[in-house]
Amino acid sequence: MALRATVVRFPSDPDAQESSGLPWGVTVTPFASKDENGNSPVYGSGGDLIPRCENCWAYYNTYCDQDQWAWTCSLCGTLNGLSSETIARYSLPESAPENMSSFVDLELPLEGSEEDMQARPVYVAAIDLASSEEFLELTKSALLAALEGSLFGLATFSHKLGLYDVQGPIPVVKNVFLPQDSDGTLPIELEDAMPLFSFLAPVETCKDRIASALETLRPTSSWDGTGSGQGLDRILLGGRGFGLAMETLISYLGSEHGNTFALARIFAFLSGPPDYGPGQLDTRRYGEQYASKGEDAELALLPEQTPFYKDLAAVAVQAGVCIDILAVTNEYTDLASLKFLSIDSGGSLFLYPNTDDSTLPQDMYRMLSRPYAFNCIMRLRTSSEFKPGNSYGHFFPDPQYENVQHVICCDSYATYAYDFDFENNHGFSRHTSELPMLQLAFQYTVVVSPQELPTSGSGLTSRSKYTIKRRLRIRTMQFGVAHNINELYDSVEHEVVLSILVHKVILASLSEGVREGRMLLHDWLVILTAQYNDACKTVANGYGSSIGSLIDVTFSQCPQLQPLPRLVFALLRNPLLRFHEEGIHPDYRIYLQCLFSGLEPSSLHRAIYPLLTSYATPDKLAYPRHSLSRAALLTSESPIFFLDAFTTLIVFYSSTADPTLPYPPPHDCLLRTTINKLKQERSMTPRLMFIRGGQEDPTPFENYLIEEQDVDGSGFASVMGFVSFLEEVSQSVLEYMK
């Protein structure tokens, strides 16, 4: 459970917060196995026995004052009595984890229905047949790489929904016709077409037959002999009935939720926009008409065109089904409408522009082999002087309780963010010893596989069984208070500031368009720079320099703020905020919004401002960090450059590199080891490219060198280099300060 704040020392009161120009908040990665300093929680049982404050409901923790009969809440200061059972438990040394550490992970007793539930993971692949041979080949290899130890169901969709029974000697498929103008009812119930227990097969005994069933899949374009007029029907009908297929699969699986499974995951492999039946999307909005109407193309293409998929996600949550959308397509698919089905149900959204260099099989393998928590409830509590304001991330707010979020499915990378507001104008009093406190409580369920369970005696169990565990993870933290603006600026964590900014900018562009998002970001940097200069001027008061003679836009007096102008510049150059007319595909923008709003701060930093390092040889690092400019390449005499842009890794050999250097780098060298380590630690599989300067097209690499005056040599005024960007900010600051 990693928790990082934008400032390590909190602002003392609303005036200090306002005048700093900084966002005040935290990012939390609740299911990370360690905290932000690499420490593990203290594990134990008795999560239901921890005393709770009768005023604010915070959990007892190591920051609470305790005497023989009572304890004082470290968040709100209320005095609470201790029960005789707790007094007895606390009298034994090291008996209670909550007395040993402020970071604990405790088991909870299971509730009635959970105890009887089968704990096997249930995975269903729903494969788009209105696709191509290449798409189906890629999907097959992704599934075969990933399936282990689960109950697995194979379904296909086009204008029909196909259900496969792979438990007999040969795989059998039952097709159910999807009506074009349906209200969601099918000609036959799926349970009647194929009982769920025939559909969900244990992978360990059926893997070969699942592979045989996958081999039989053919795209609808290759179907023939199905009666005359079928071809014409297909053209008229389209034939990708994704919406109705998802709706019926969710209710099919939902009938056994809480009985056969605790959580089912549907992997929806999609090769284009749903164009048939309920939930079909009109892709004509991506045509030329927006240019002729003079509309803001970004604003026209970012909102969803139908609430169908958002509503369906709510149904999926009730049914205990989480949906991952894996889109392999370069045609406009309107992910703006589809995304809710995945992110609101706890799933992921992946977009691959083609089948050739797609990392889909690797991503699929990662997704299924990493641990995840489900049915999670998260609550952030604060001491009484301040409170959580906005919350950001892929979760469901609780309909009843404030500041309670539900996360359907959460892996160890999933990150959320909160910003804070003061409760009143007093802020944190200078006269008391009380310091700001935060407590994050995260209740979750995990499926524990047989090999993770301690075996008793001879280790012979009647049948190796998956079990369900419900746990409660609590982290309590104390922060300092900054007594002046310099202390506040010196405690800034720029990566966390970037995270909160990205969340705010995504929300602004969704509601008001990309232009508005860009303006918000630009204005924020101008105001921060003005406030900082104002603070420095106050400090330097008496040196008599006239305002405007020197605007410090690089934050030269404050190392913690120095990365921010570069990060804002890079964010403005990122496809997330570049314009439609620059060739940014609206689906790619939506994919980036979904990706960026779930990344932890250091990964997001990489994705926004890539890391460029250089090597003297594949085994010898030359410089650990360069700025992203051609000048940096020219002044560095290193022959090999390595660029890490989070989703892409590029190894670039300069055109002047010694031809005897091995290319591509050998598998046992330092550079390869670095690449493999990065790939291992990532939440998704980065694409790896090798480029030999002078012999191969360097454009993919040079596109990342964003700091140049004219990045593409075309002299467009809209493409500002970093230096002219700073000059422009300086001018804006002058106008703002006047």
Side-chain angles (χ1 to χ4, degrees):
M1 182 181 273
L3 200 150
R4 294 176 64 184
T6 52
V7 280
V8 182
R9 287 169 167 260
F10 285 2
S12 56
D13 56 39
D15 289 343
Q17 208 265 307
E18 188 68 29
S19 63
S20 72
L22 290 166
W24 177 31
V26 288
T27 59
V28 300
T29 311
F31 195 53
S33 59
K34 294 185 161 68
D35 69 13
E36 65 286 353
N37 302 316
N39 304 313
S40 298
V42 171
Y43 289 93
S45 58
D48 54 327
L49 303 175
I50 295 197
R52 297 186 69 174
C53 173
E54 49 202 49
N55 174 41
C56 72
W57 290 98
Y59 292 89
Y60 172 90
N61 57 79
T62 52
Y63 292 100
C64 297
D65 291 329
Q66 184 203 336
D67 59 31
Q68 197 175 355
W69 310 107
W71 61 282
T72 305
C73 175
S74 59
L75 273 77
C76 72
T78 302
L79 186 68
N80 297 274
L82 283 171
S83 69
S84 49
E85 294 92 330
T86 308
I87 293 169
R89 206 159 60 92
Y90 285 179
S91 63
L92 303 166
E94 303 209 345
S95 62
E98 66 267 29
N99 274 327
M100 294 154 61
S101 170
S102 59
F103 181 20
V104 295
D105 191 309
L106 310 174
E107 211 161 299
L108 291 167
L110 292 174
E111 289 164 11
S113 62
E114 291 176 314
E115 287 189 81
D116 311 326
M117 204 186 301
Q118 288 188 37
R120 297 200 66 167
V122 168
Y123 299 132
V124 172
I127 301 172
D128 180 359
L129 293 185
S131 57
S132 64
E133 289 284 3
E134 295 77 14
F135 170 84
L136 292 177
E137 280 308 315
L138 182 67
T139 304
K140 290 171 196 172
S141 59
L143 285 169
L144 290 172
L147 296 174
E148 289 302 332
S150 61
L151 289 173
F152 175 74
L154 175 62
T156 57
F157 60 91
S158 54
H159 54 279
K160 295 191 279 197
L161 176 63
L163 302 175
Y164 284 75
D165 178 351
V166 295
Q167 296 183 67
I170 56 163
V172 176
V173 61
K174 294 278 178 69
N175 284 305
V176 178
F177 183 69
L178 297 172
Q180 164 78 318
D181 48 0
S182 161
D183 56 355
T185 49
L186 293 186
I188 176 175
E189 287 290 325
L190 292 195
E191 188 62 41
D192 296 337
M194 183 177 291
L196 190 60
F197 292 104
S198 304
F199 175 66
L200 295 177
V203 169
E204 60 272 20
T205 55
C206 299
K207 195 160 184 179
D208 293 349
R209 280 168 301 205
I210 293 169
S212 320
L214 287 169
E215 282 310 317
T216 65
L217 301 185
R218 293 287 172 271
T220 48
S221 54
S222 70
W223 296 359
D224 50 10
T226 46
S228 65
Q230 175 68 39
L232 181 65
D233 276 353
R234 231 192 77 67
I235 293 163
L236 290 175
L237 295 174
R240 193 177 286 114
F242 178 69
L244 188 51
M246 285 295 118
E247 196 177 339
T248 43
L249 280 174
I250 289 165
S251 70
Y252 184 40
L253 291 167
S255 62
E256 281 297 312
H257 176 225
N259 188 9
T260 303
F261 65 86
L263 178 86
R265 286 181 83 163
I266 297 178
F267 298 104
F269 296 91
L270 197 60
S271 73
D275 54 6
Y276 175 96
Q280 63 182 294
L281 299 171
D282 178 4
T283 53
R284 287 174 307 184
R285 70 177 189 162
Y286 182 52
E288 293 301 305
Q289 75 268 41
Y290 290 101
S292 59
K293 283 184 193 169
E295 284 188 41
D296 178 344
E298 286 82 16
L299 196 49
L301 295 171
L302 282 171
E304 72 271 30
Q305 56 172 292
T306 164
F308 182 88
Y309 292 99
K310 201 179 176 81
D311 296 345
L312 191 52
V315 176
V317 168
Q318 290 305 312
V321 177
C322 153
I323 295 145
D324 297 278
I325 295 178
L326 305 116
V328 187
T329 176
N330 59 1
E331 64 175 308
Y332 176 59
T333 304
D334 192 15
L335 294 183
S337 299
L338 290 171
K339 68 176 181 188
F340 297 103
L341 188 56
S342 59
I343 61 175
D344 281 6
S345 70
S348 309
L349 175 70
F350 288 90
L351 175 65
Y352 307 94
N354 58 49
T355 52
D356 303 339
D357 51 8
S358 164
T359 54
L360 173 63
Q362 296 90 320
D363 284 336
M364 192 76 196
Y365 179 77
R366 266 164 203 241
M367 232 179 346
L368 292 183
S369 54
R370 69 169 74 124
Y372 59 86
F374 53 93
N375 299 346
C376 318
I377 305 171
M378 186 159 63
R379 170 79 199 254
L380 182 69
R381 291 182 173 87
T382 62
S383 46
S384 43
E385 304 86 353
F386 68 115
K387 61 183 180 189
N390 298 309
S391 47
Y392 310 94
H394 303 161
F395 49 59
F396 251 88
D398 189 275
Q400 195 179 350
Y401 297 104
E402 220 185 347
N403 299 324
V404 175
Q405 283 85 28
H406 292 262
V407 181
I408 312 310
C409 184
C410 172
D411 64 22
S412 55
Y413 296 96
T415 300
Y416 310 89
Y418 298 87
D419 53 26
F420 298 131
D421 299 318
F422 278 100
E423 276 286 7
N424 53 43
N425 292 333
H426 306 308
F428 303 110
S429 166
R430 287 167 180 249
H431 310 298
T432 66
S433 57
E434 319 280 270
L435 288 169
M437 301 290 304
L438 282 183
Q439 186 177 78
L440 184 70
F442 181 66
Q443 208 181 92
Y444 64 98
T445 302
V446 280
V447 170
V448 183
S449 66
Q451 59 266 33
E452 291 173 57
L453 283 175
T455 50
S456 55
S458 64
L460 296 171
T461 51
S462 56
R463 181 171 173 271
S464 61
K465 262 181 83 172
Y466 284 82
T467 50
I468 280 185
K469 299 263 183 238
R470 186 80 180 151
R471 307 191 68 95
L472 172 64
R473 192 174 279 193
I474 305 167
R475 176 93 191 275
T476 311
M477 293 177 80
Q478 194 174 58
F479 287 85
V481 175
H483 294 303
N484 55 50
I485 193 86
N486 291 359
E487 280 189 10
L488 191 61
Y489 284 152
D490 286 342
S491 76
V492 165
E493 286 243 20
H494 63 269
E495 289 184 338
V496 191
V497 170
L498 176 68
S499 284
I500 303 259
L501 282 180
V502 166
H503 279 294
K504 287 181 185 290
V505 164
I506 288 174
L507 285 180
S509 42
L510 281 172
S511 58
E512 294 166 56
V514 171
R515 254 166 247 284
E516 194 57 42
R518 289 178 69 89
M519 276 162 58
L520 176 91
L521 187 61
H522 181 273
D523 293 352
W524 173 80
L525 183 62
V526 168
I527 293 167
L528 174 71
T529 311
Q531 304 290 54
Y532 162 81
N533 277 272
D534 208 33
C536 289
K537 192 183 82 213
T538 313
V539 174
N541 207 7
Y543 290 104
S545 68
S546 67
I547 177 166
S549 60
L550 292 166
I551 292 283
D552 179 2
V553 281
T554 58
F555 301 103
S556 59
Q557 303 298 305
C558 181
Q560 277 68 25
L561 295 176
Q562 283 166 15
L564 289 172
R566 233 181 201 98
L567 290 177
V568 169
F569 173 74
L571 186 49
L572 289 167
R573 296 295 310 137
N574 191 280
L576 185 76
L577 288 180
R578 281 180 33 216
F579 292 124
H580 190 68
E581 24 316 357
E582 287 188 65
I584 303 302
H585 195 290
D587 284 339
Y588 183 56
R589 193 191 305 278
I590 293 287
Y591 161 69
L592 288 181
Q593 287 182 352
C594 295
L595 176 70
F596 289 178
S597 53
L599 288 181
E600 54 83 39
S602 43
S603 298
L604 183 61
H605 182 192
R606 244 339 116 261
I608 300 290
Y609 193 90
L611 177 66
L612 181 63
T613 49
S614 60
Y615 285 75
T617 70
D619 259 317
K620 186 170 179 229
L621 182 69
Y623 291 101
R625 184 184 296 267
H626 295 276
S627 65
L628 297 176
S629 67
R630 292 183 188 182
L633 265 65
L634 296 171
T635 52
S636 149
E637 290 169 8
S638 310
I640 304 169
F641 292 90
F642 173 53
L643 182 113
D644 174 7
F646 190 73
T647 54
T648 309
L649 305 174
I650 301 177
V651 175
F652 179 76
Y653 277 55
S654 80
S655 51
T656 55
D658 181 345
T660 61
L661 282 173
Y663 175 88
H667 281 281
D668 54 355
C669 68
L670 173 68
L671 178 52
R672 281 281 191 175
T673 313
T674 306
I675 290 170
N676 292 338
K677 185 169 183 288
L678 285 173
K679 286 171 97 172
Q680 215 55 46
E681 293 165 354
R682 285 281 133 98
S683 55
M684 39 86 75
T685 315
R687 252 181 80 209
L688 177 59
M689 297 171 77
F690 296 98
I691 300 173
R692 201 162 195 168
Q695 293 179 35
E696 292 161 329
D697 178 16
T699 314
F701 176 67
E702 289 178 350
N703 283 345
Y704 285 104
L705 306 177
I706 54 175
E707 294 195 10
E708 244 52 62
Q709 192 71 38
D710 290 318
V711 101
D712 54 2
S714 60
F716 278 136
S718 66
V719 184
M720 291 199 301
F722 183 55
V723 177
S724 50
F725 169 74
L726 289 180
E727 285 167 9
E728 193 274 328
V729 169
S730 180
Q731 281 305 315
S732 304
V733 170
L734 268 180
E735 283 164 35
Y736 176 80
M737 288 176 92
K738 276 176 192 162

